[in-house]
Amino acid sequence: MADRLRVGLAGLGTVGAGVVRLLDANAALIERRSGRAIEVVAVSARDRTRDRGIDLSRFAWLDDTAALAGHDEVDVVVELIGGADGPALTLARGALSAGRGLVTANKAMLAHHGLELAALAEERGLPLKFEAAVAGGIPVIKGLREGAAANEIARVTGILNGTCNFILSKMEAEGRDFAEVLSEAQALGYAEADPTFDIDGIDAAHKLAILASLAFGTRPAFGDVGVQGIRHVLGADIAEAAALGHRVRLVGVAEAGPSDQKGGGLFQRVHPHLVPIDHPLAHVTGSTNAVVAEGDHVGRLLFQGAGAGAGPTASAVVADLIDIARGVVGTPFAMPAAALAAAPRADSGERRGRAYLRFTVEDRVGVLAEIAAAMRDAGVSIESLIQRGTSADGHALVAIVTHDGPERCVAQALERLRGSQSLAGQPLWMPILG
Amino acid sequence: MADRLRVGLAGLGTVGAGVVRLLDANAALIERRSGRAIEVVAVSARDRTRDRGIDLSRFAWLDDTAALAGHDEVDVVVELIGGADGPALTLARGALSAGRGLVTANKAMLAHHGLELAALAEERGLPLKFEAAVAGGIPVIKGLREGAAANEIARVTGILNGTCNFILSKMEAEGRDFAEVLSEAQALGYAEADPTFDIDGIDAAHKLAILASLAFGTRPAFGDVGVQGIRHVLGADIAEAAALGHRVRLVGVAEAGPSDQKGGGLFQRVHPHLVPIDHPLAHVTGSTNAVVAEGDHVGRLLFQGAGAGAGPTASAVVADLIDIARGVVGTPFAMPAAALAAAPRADSGERRGRAYLRFTVEDRVGVLAEIAAAMRDAGVSIESLIQRGTSADGHALVAIVTHDGPERCVAQALERLRGSQSLAGQPLWMPILG
């Protein structure tokens, strides 16, 4: 039996405490599977005194998190602090520079600095692993990096944020509006007090940038992800979608740009979508996450499970530690950082598809004609249109499904209608998943 | 860039030819991801002259398959011959003995001889990989061996045979009976001319034995898998199941035996089940495969995709080759062969659950009373019972759903009814997935 793998753990929030508990609970099993014991030896967190229900007295305590990087007893650093920069990034750079392997759940840091960290790890022959950064306990990083490695990937789609999916599922099940369900989710602990990162799609965009890099051999490029969250989805939109045989989900999509275009490039977007009921993502409810990868030989692969929480996220962190204990180093983004391409951002206007459009309108003569004319003038072909009666505030709702066509045309139609006196508030556009 | 990985390929059927085509199509991508080229250098198959649509002239041809094992140019042997014993086993033993890594899609060989081959590989520090042996292109072997490695697994359930799932889905969609749909599936190439291995559940049982070993750290024990196929499922059973909110699927289940029993042991069974409509396996249609693993920390993980076919299976074979090219050896069954436990077969009688029972009965006085008495005397509590009118041949159908209870009682009830003049043919029992 080889020497034990000694872990320095930074961050003792929900996930950090979960990692300690998992390593305690399954120590013997993990040793049988890894060929060696995996043991936390040193920890660092903001507050030493907080009761986490775990015995910390057996670990060295470091007030200075950055010092974990150089701690004599530590073979691998587990970074669970969070945040794209600051102490997490300092620790990550420090650990790799000091010859320690790194396991992290930090999607923001990887989406922004993944390339730099991967290059640093590879230069020194060190493992840099981040299964927990995307989709919690689901081994989808491994699934793309290794399981689907023989394939040219055409598209990755995923439900990557449990809070949004919980809210959308609840709106759907109970026919309620966003703000109401958000408050309840916050009260239940399913949404943060400041839910911006989740509900505005930023968290999902971080994860999508990582998946896209793995799938397409490109540099993680968070800045190229188009992002819109779920704030503007109404209960009425979900009801219209249901009537059309669809569910509304916040979906991340990464795909190769149209190959007939110069450059092609990579298209990345997080946006509420209409998902057809026969698509696997339509059946993902509550805080569950799921990722679909479409490979040229394997076809459509689905990975589904718990996307957050102490147990599932700890499961992913420890899976990475087991890989390291087994001696697997690997390349963080499936191919050497130097080989990752700097793909241009694909022009979304050239993307084709069907779309859902919803207008909240003043209930008066000529409104429908104005909308229909804008569609016609922009070359948008309407598959169906429905107007629902007037609400208490005197507004009506117009929902349109377009035929297949370029997104550019829909954008032009919306541009034509901008500032129209007929519209009460911003229209909502949602692509329909193909 | 390291030297290329040189492959000796045995078997050029659908999958073998698929591997050659995949390695051709994605050669550059695979080299970027692996850090080295992966090239077939030598092949062996039954018939040299058959047109497979691929150019074989660039490979060394060996008439003697076993000779691939010792071929000078070969680093890794890919065994795609099939069959638990015979030439496949000879080649597998030969390759490992001669210091070559082995990749195989051969579930039958692994279910019967996996322990021996794993020990042989480990002794020599060689890779033995078999992602393609279970669920085609879905990286579920990797998912269990690595992705879920931090977890104590409570249960693995899976739809592991595409032919059976295709037939059951078609029976469901079209309201037809088994024999009719099987003939059509054979005509379409979805079922073999001799479909026994598929429809009698043997193929699924081979796969389940492999999954169980990985999940529970036990020796692969095909002989301990209880097996019943789908021959006896009627269109009427599927209709009754649907009325009850369930679908009929051939499901493999492996789980730890009741922990309050001496020994506990491992329970393994392939059997048609009623799957509740809100269970992920209920939405697996056509020839798709899916596996659900339930871990103590990660919760329920779902892996889904194409379970067979040239492209998906080749994708899994080449994923294993990429792992090997990347220098990952690993232990075949997730822990050393010597550490795998010889788990006793758990007593299925102690398993609790609800069940579906269907009797085809003579349409005469007293039949229902006889069945009800047998249930009562065996201690089976009936949740619902339905009798459907008489068919053309003068028989009626009685379908029962039991309350939760031990399987032992249901078996006793069926035993009491054995040979009864009231019954026309064998009753069908199907567990309801919990």
Side-chain angles (χ1 to χ4, degrees):
Chain A
M1 194 73 40
D3 283 347
R4 67 203 172 119
L5 182 74
R6 298 166 305 174
V7 174
L9 180 59
L12 284 168
T14 311
V15 177
V19 167
V20 173
R21 269 195 293 270
L22 195 164
L23 288 171
D24 281 349
N26 290 350
L29 179 69
I30 290 167
E31 185 168 348
R32 279 172 79 203
R33 290 196 178 136
S34 307
R36 53 201 282 215
I38 299 177
E39 286 174 20
V40 175
V41 294
V43 297
S44 180
R46 245 176 312 197
D47 182 357
R48 188 172 185 167
T49 58
R50 196 178 126 208
D51 182 14
R52 300 168 174 94
I54 47 176
D55 169 22
L56 297 178
S57 66
R58 54 204 164 131
F59 312 133
W61 178 275
L62 280 72
D63 284 317
D64 175 15
T65 297
L68 269 180
H71 194 280
D72 273 354
E73 303 276 308
V74 167
D75 303 312
V76 181
V77 169
V78 173
E79 184 277 305
L80 301 171
I81 304 168
D85 302 280
L89 185 59
T90 304
L91 176 62
R93 286 176 176 150
L96 293 169
S97 301
R100 269 73 177 176
L102 181 68
V103 172
T104 175
N106 191 332
K107 51 223 109 180
M109 180 175 75
L110 290 162
H112 287 281
H113 307 289
L115 188 69
E116 175 207 327
L117 295 173
L120 195 55
E122 288 165 23
E123 209 172 274
R124 279 146 221 256
L126 294 167
L128 163 59
K129 295 187 183 283
F130 43 83
E131 187 61 81
V134 179
I138 311 170
V140 63
I141 299 285
K142 185 176 277 288
L144 285 175
R145 190 183 57 207
E146 302 163 26
N151 292 266
E152 184 92 55
I153 303 290
R155 184 181 300 108
V156 175
T157 34
I159 291 176
L160 300 169
N161 184 274
T163 304
C164 286
N165 211 59
F166 176 85
I167 291 173
L168 291 172
S169 302
K170 214 169 162 65
M171 288 172 69
E172 175 183 299
E174 300 172 8
R176 291 156 69 199
D177 267 323
F178 173 77
E180 219 180 306
V181 173
L182 172 62
S183 306
E184 199 177 305
Q186 286 172 314
L188 291 168
Y190 286 102
E192 307 276 346
D194 176 2
T196 307
F197 259 49
D198 290 318
I199 64 173
D200 288 338
I202 299 158
D203 173 78
H206 286 143
K207 295 167 180 169
L208 185 70
I210 295 168
L211 290 180
S213 169
L214 284 160
F216 298 99
T218 52
R219 300 181 185 167
F222 172 71
D224 287 348
V225 186
V227 190
Q228 180 164 333
I230 63 169
R231 274 183 206 272
H232 305 295
V233 177
L234 300 178
D237 294 316
I238 292 176
E240 293 300 338
L244 295 162
H246 290 71
R247 287 182 176 155
V248 177
R249 294 287 181 264
L250 184 72
V251 177
V253 179
E255 63 188 14
S259 55
D260 55 338
Q261 273 191 278
K262 198 158 48 94
L266 181 66
F267 172 79
Q268 300 179 75
R269 178 158 63 198
V270 169
H271 201 285
H273 280 71
L274 262 62
V275 182
I277 203 78
D278 62 354
H279 191 285
L281 295 185
H283 298 281
V284 179
T285 54
S287 61
T288 302
N289 279 197
V291 175
V292 174
E294 296 168 40
D296 61 349
H297 285 76
V298 77
R300 197 193 253 182
L301 286 177
L302 169 68
F303 302 86
Q304 186 174 318
T313 312
S315 168
V317 168
V318 177
D320 281 346
L321 289 172
I322 292 174
D323 262 4
I324 293 171
R326 284 167 168 168
V328 178
V329 176
T331 38
F333 287 98
M335 59 180 69
L340 295 173
R345 182 178 180 151
D347 177 5
S348 69
E350 295 308 311
R351 276 192 98 221
R352 297 186 64 89
R354 294 162 68 230
Y356 168 93
L357 290 160
R358 183 258 301 155
F359 302 89
T360 311
V361 300
E362 305 296 339
D363 190 15
R364 65 180 187 214
V365 174
V367 170
L368 218 52
E370 188 182 343
I371 292 175
M375 297 288 152
R376 178 201 59 209
D377 295 347
V380 177
S381 172
I382 295 176
E383 180 184 306
S384 68
L385 182 151
I386 196 158
Q387 174 168 352
R388 297 270 177 209
T390 318
S391 63
D393 56 1
H395 296 145
L397 189 145
V398 175
I400 291 176
V401 171
T402 72
H403 279 296
D404 184 79
E407 291 189 3
R408 177 175 30 81
C409 295
V410 175
Q412 280 165 11
L414 294 176
E415 187 54 37
R416 279 169 195 275
L417 289 165
R418 194 183 350 202
S420 160
Q421 296 299 311
S422 303
L423 302 191
Q426 281 286 100
L428 178 71
W429 164 77
M430 296 192 276
I432 300 180
L433 210 60
Chain B
M1 193 75 37
D3 283 347
R4 67 202 172 119
L5 183 74
R6 299 165 304 174
V7 175
L9 180 58
L12 283 168
T14 309
V15 178
V19 168
V20 173
R21 268 194 293 269
L22 195 164
L23 288 172
D24 282 348
N26 290 351
L29 179 69
I30 289 167
E31 184 167 349
R32 279 173 78 204
R33 291 197 177 135
S34 306
R36 54 202 280 216
I38 299 177
E39 285 174 21
V40 175
V41 294
V43 296
S44 179
R46 245 178 310 200
D47 181 358
R48 188 170 186 171
T49 58
R50 196 179 125 209
D51 181 14
R52 299 168 175 94
I54 47 176
D55 169 23
L56 297 178
S57 66
R58 52 201 164 134
F59 311 133
W61 178 275
L62 281 73
D63 284 318
D64 175 17
T65 297
L68 270 181
H71 193 280
D72 273 352
E73 302 276 308
V74 167
D75 302 312
V76 181
V77 168
V78 173
E79 184 279 305
L80 301 170
I81 305 167
D85 303 281
L89 185 60
T90 303
L91 176 61
R93 286 176 176 151
L96 294 169
S97 301
R100 268 72 176 178
L102 181 69
V103 172
T104 175
N106 191 331
K107 50 222 110 181
M109 179 175 77
L110 291 162
H112 287 282
H113 307 290
L115 188 69
E116 174 207 328
L117 295 174
L120 194 55
E122 289 165 22
E123 209 171 275
R124 280 147 220 259
L126 294 167
L128 163 59
K129 297 188 181 283
F130 43 84
E131 187 62 80
V134 179
I138 311 169
V140 64
I141 298 285
K142 185 175 278 288
L144 286 174
R145 189 184 57 206
E146 302 162 26
N151 292 267
E152 184 93 54
I153 304 290
R155 185 182 299 109
V156 175
T157 34
I159 291 177
L160 300 169
N161 185 274
T163 303
C164 286
N165 210 60
F166 176 85
I167 292 173
L168 290 171
S169 303
K170 214 172 163 64
M171 287 171 70
E172 176 184 299
E174 300 172 8
R176 291 156 71 199
D177 269 323
F178 173 77
E180 218 179 306
V181 173
L182 172 62
S183 306
E184 198 177 305
Q186 287 172 314
L188 291 169
Y190 285 104
E192 307 276 345
D194 176 3
T196 307
F197 258 51
D198 290 317
I199 65 173
D200 288 339
I202 300 160
D203 173 77
H206 285 142
K207 295 167 179 168
L208 185 70
I210 295 168
L211 290 180
S213 170
L214 284 160
F216 298 100
T218 52
R219 300 180 185 170
F222 173 71
D224 288 347
V225 186
V227 189
Q228 180 165 332
I230 63 168
R231 272 184 208 274
H232 305 294
V233 177
L234 300 178
D237 294 317
I238 291 176
E240 293 300 339
L244 295 161
H246 290 71
R247 287 182 176 156
V248 176
R249 294 286 181 265
L250 184 73
V251 177
V253 179
E255 64 188 13
S259 54
D260 55 337
Q261 273 191 278
K262 200 157 48 95
L266 181 66
F267 172 79
Q268 299 179 76
R269 177 157 64 197
V270 169
H271 201 286
H273 280 71
L274 262 62
V275 181
I277 202 79
D278 61 354
H279 191 286
L281 295 185
H283 298 281
V284 180
T285 54
S287 61
T288 302
N289 280 198
V291 175
V292 174
E294 296 168 39
D296 61 350
H297 286 75
V298 76
R300 196 193 252 181
L301 286 177
L302 169 68
F303 302 86
Q304 186 173 316
T313 313
S315 168
V317 167
V318 177
D320 281 345
L321 289 172
I322 292 175
D323 263 4
I324 293 170
R326 284 169 168 168
V328 179
V329 175
T331 38
F333 287 97
M335 58 179 70
L340 294 173
R345 182 177 178 149
D347 177 5
S348 69
E350 296 308 311
R351 277 192 99 222
R352 297 186 64 90
R354 294 163 68 227
Y356 168 93
L357 290 159
R358 183 258 302 154
F359 302 90
T360 311
V361 301
E362 305 296 339
D363 189 14
R364 64 178 188 216
V365 174
V367 169
L368 217 51
E370 187 182 343
I371 292 175
M375 296 288 150
R376 177 199 61 210
D377 295 347
V380 177
S381 173
I382 294 176
E383 181 185 305
S384 68
L385 182 151
I386 196 158
Q387 176 169 351
R388 297 272 177 206
T390 318
S391 63
D393 57 2
H395 296 143
L397 188 146
V398 175
I400 292 175
V401 170
T402 73
H403 279 296
D404 184 80
E407 291 189 4
R408 176 175 31 79
C409 296
V410 175
Q412 280 165 13
L414 294 177
E415 187 55 37
R416 278 168 196 275
L417 289 166
R418 199 196 330 217
S420 159
Q421 296 299 310
S422 303
L423 302 191
Q426 281 286 100
L428 178 70
W429 164 78
M430 295 192 277
I432 300 179
L433 209 60

